Amino acid sequence: MTLSLLGLMRPALCRSLVALVPMVRSPQLVVIPRVQLLLPNIFHQNMVPPAASCVRFYATKKSKAKAAKGQASKVNINSSLVEDIISLEEVKEDMSAVLTTLKDDFSRSLSIRSSPGALDHIVVSMADGKFPLNQLGQISMKSPQLIVVNMTGFPEAVAAATRALRESSMKLNPEVDGTIIKVAIPKVTREHRENLAKLAKQFGNKAKESLRRVRSNAITQVKKAKDTVSEDTIRLVEKQVGQMADSFAADVDKQLTTKTKELLG
């Protein structure tokens, strides 16, 4: 009799329990069933799924720190507000000059010698000044292994141009025929390309060293103002200078990556 009554009451009892214990859906909640723990002998497989209790899990210190690190904002100080401490524009110009020097080093010393433009960086020293070779002579490529420099426009510069070619880092051996300078181009070997790539890395490291020097000098100058400005202001300016240095260092890496790919082919 008791079992029959429970069988008849089962649907109504299930609906009552579901109504009393609402289901909560949230991406931040994990549900753990517990009705079976309360009434283990009443329910079985054909019943409506039991309601669930909700347990909230809170972020750990580690996850909070990681989130805070990802949301760190950059400092952007108005230069005019700190001009009595340091000229941020001058610091930026000094760092920009480092990047320009790097590009000049790459162009001047890391040529593959496979085109007329490979000689454009050659500077010819004369009595009345220094001039790029391509301004004194007409450079053309007669074959993959021969570049010709026509010095008809400035015949007086032939000797100086020949000397500049021979003393360049390209290890050239020019020959003079009147006002024509013939430059034989050695075959570019893999070893030569790898040596140039190593030299490019040295130039990159030198540029980063120069950036660190500019940054250090700027921070030293900022700290001299500690008696007239607040510590918070000094820290903000230091952070701004650091961000500028990091940005230019990233540009150095990009230039180095591009040049290395070009050299190694």
Side-chain angles (χ1 to χ4, degrees):
M1 177 71 72
T2 303
L3 293 176
S4 299
L5 288 174
L6 284 175
L8 294 174
M9 294 173 61
R10 183 175 60 195
L13 182 57
C14 290
R15 286 193 296 272
S16 299
L17 286 172
V18 171
L20 289 173
V21 187
M23 295 292 291
V24 180
R25 299 179 180 272
S26 171
Q28 297 179 347
L29 301 179
V30 176
V31 295
I32 301 177
R34 68 175 183 179
V35 175
Q36 287 183 335
L37 297 176
L38 300 176
L39 301 170
N41 298 322
I42 296 179
F43 300 102
H44 49 75
Q45 294 179 355
N46 295 327
M47 292 180 60
V48 177
S53 60
C54 303
V55 179
R56 184 181 298 274
F57 288 90
Y58 294 92
T60 62
K61 291 183 179 180
K62 184 177 181 180
S63 62
K64 288 181 179 180
K66 185 176 181 181
K69 182 179 180 180
Q71 296 175 355
S73 58
K74 291 186 177 181
V75 175
N76 189 11
I77 301 175
N78 189 327
S79 299
S80 61
L81 298 179
V82 295
E83 59 185 4
D84 292 338
I85 304 174
I86 192 173
S87 173
L88 292 177
E89 289 301 322
E90 289 184 4
V91 174
K92 185 176 181 179
E93 289 175 3
D94 290 342
M95 292 184 179
S96 181
V98 171
L99 191 61
T100 300
T101 299
L102 176 66
K103 293 177 180 178
D104 290 342
D105 287 340
F106 281 174
S107 175
R108 182 174 59 255
S109 305
L110 301 178
S111 175
I112 291 297
R113 306 175 300 193
S114 59
S115 68
L119 302 183
D120 287 350
H121 69 277
I122 300 294
V123 176
V124 181
S125 297
M126 301 178 62
D128 52 350
K130 295 182 178 181
F131 305 91
L133 180 61
N134 60 0
Q135 290 185 9
L136 300 175
Q138 183 180 357
I139 304 174
S140 59
M141 197 159 193
K142 294 300 181 182
S143 73
Q145 281 75 45
L146 181 63
I147 294 179
V148 173
V149 184
N150 189 334
M151 301 291 294
T152 304
F154 294 90
E156 68 276 13
V158 170
T162 303
R163 183 171 59 253
L165 287 165
R166 187 174 290 114
E167 294 176 354
S168 73
S169 61
M170 298 174 68
K171 298 181 180 179
L172 302 173
N173 187 26
E175 295 181 0
V176 179
D177 183 8
T179 58
I180 302 297
I181 302 175
K182 297 178 180 180
V183 184
I185 303 299
K187 184 179 180 180
V188 180
T189 64
R190 185 67 185 178
E191 181 182 3
H192 178 64
R193 288 177 178 272
E194 290 175 351
N195 288 336
L196 290 178
K198 291 178 182 178
L199 184 57
K201 187 174 182 179
Q202 291 177 14
F203 284 134
N205 290 337
K206 179 182 175 183
K208 287 186 176 181
E209 214 174 281
S210 297
L211 286 175
R212 286 192 291 268
R213 192 179 305 114
V214 174
R215 176 180 181 172
S216 178
N217 291 340
I219 290 178
T220 298
Q221 181 179 344
V222 170
K223 288 182 176 179
K224 290 180 179 179
K226 64 181 180 180
D227 294 333
T228 57
V229 297
S230 67
E231 291 184 3
D232 288 342
T233 300
I234 289 178
R235 280 196 295 268
L236 287 175
V237 176
E238 288 178 351
K239 188 173 182 180
Q240 176 79 65
V241 172
Q243 288 176 180
M244 292 166 61
D246 291 343
S247 177
F248 278 100
D251 286 340
V252 168
D253 287 335
K254 290 179 182 177
Q255 293 291 329
L256 178 58
T257 299
T258 301
K259 193 64 180 180
T260 300
K261 288 181 179 179
E262 175 191 326
L263 293 172
L264 296 179

